[in-house]
Amino acid sequence: KIAKYSGKDAATPPRLSKIGGDAWKTLKNKTKKKVKDMAKELIKLYAARKASKGFAFPPDGYLQNELEATFLYEDTPDQAAATADVKADMEKSYPMDRLVCGDVGFGKTEVAIRAAFKAVNDRKQVAILVPTTILAMQHFQTLQERLENFPVKVDYLNRFRSAKDIKSIKEQVASGEIDILIGTHKIVGKDVAFKDLGLLIID
């Protein structure tokens, strides 16, 4: 398959090597070495994660089952599997690191809501990091609706909040009054201190 080349700098054409020539072999060997080095670093990282101590959440309780029963739609097989895998990870004694992939409308947010609720049920706080101010607002509205019948306080931070609101939210996060905080990069700033953060969700 032939496709148009688009490199970092479109004005500079790519350097071409003669197939089977020394330059091509050298480049291939360098690339292989870099990939092997990257793999070694990843293995070290995952070994360190497995060896470090995390917080093991307890199995699902009554409230978790209540929340999941209020979902308006039937879970797809993949959604049910992703939810089960995420919750199983949370119940392990080392830090969780899981990637949930799916197209728009395939139910990733519901998986995140269930994980967040599981953390809050065990008196831990949750941070949900999103890339845009609009998405922060949308997630806030979704979580508010899903959790309105449960004792969970949700709030959000973005550039549209007033200085007074931001100050109040930061104080409530530090005291543990806010259970779930949604926001853009503002929520990972040094001036935002969680009382007891148990789960970070990156959208």
Side-chain angles (χ1 to χ4, degrees):
K1 184 177 177 181
I2 297 175
K4 186 178 177 183
Y5 174 81
S6 56
K8 286 185 286 184
D9 183 5
T12 309
R15 283 175 57 193
L16 300 176
S17 304
K18 185 179 172 185
I19 293 177
D22 289 340
W24 176 247
K25 285 176 188 170
T26 305
L27 185 61
K28 272 202 315 186
N29 290 335
K30 273 186 185 175
T31 305
K32 280 180 183 175
K33 187 184 181 306
K34 282 182 183 175
V35 170
K36 281 180 184 173
D37 290 344
M38 199 185 298
K40 281 177 191 171
E41 288 302 313
L42 279 171
I43 289 166
K44 280 182 193 173
L45 175 69
Y46 279 89
R49 181 176 280 123
K50 285 260 180 154
S52 60
K53 191 77 179 152
F55 181 84
F57 288 93
D60 290 355
Y62 166 75
L63 281 176
Q64 185 76 30
N65 294 330
E66 266 305 286
L67 171 79
E68 294 183 19
T70 62
F71 188 47
L72 292 174
Y73 311 97
E74 189 177 336
D75 286 8
T76 65
D78 286 343
Q79 192 178 26
T83 301
D85 288 344
V86 166
K87 292 193 293 185
D89 282 352
M90 291 175 73
E91 292 170 18
K92 289 175 182 159
S93 60
Y94 52 84
M96 176 174 76
D97 177 37
R98 179 167 290 274
L99 177 66
V100 177
C101 292
D103 286 335
V104 174
F106 274 60
K108 298 183 300 296
T109 303
E110 178 63 21
V111 174
I113 289 169
R114 294 175 188 184
F117 190 70
K118 185 175 179 71
V120 171
N121 264 337
D122 210 42
R123 298 176 300 281
K124 292 283 185 183
Q125 289 172 296
V126 178
I128 302 178
L129 181 63
V130 297
T132 65
T133 53
I134 300 298
L135 197 56
M137 188 68 197
Q138 286 174 341
H139 277 338
F140 170 69
Q141 288 168 343
T142 302
L143 267 84
Q144 282 276 76
E145 286 170 18
R146 279 296 278 123
L147 303 173
E148 66 179 346
N149 296 321
F150 298 91
V152 179
K153 185 164 184 183
V154 184
D155 217 321
Y156 72 101
L157 277 179
N158 67 17
R159 62 190 171 92
F160 296 136
R161 302 304 298 260
S162 68
K164 185 182 175 185
D165 283 347
I166 290 171
K167 184 175 183 288
S168 172
I169 289 164
K170 287 177 182 176
E171 286 169 359
Q172 290 176 71
V173 167
S175 68
E177 194 180 331
I178 289 175
D179 300 302
I180 301 173
L181 181 65
I182 304 158
T184 53
H185 63 279
K186 279 182 180 294
I187 69 168
V188 290
K190 289 180 181 176
D191 55 340
V192 177
F194 288 84
K195 185 182 179 186
D196 193 3
L197 183 63
L199 180 67
L200 169 63
I201 298 169
I202 301 171
D203 190 356

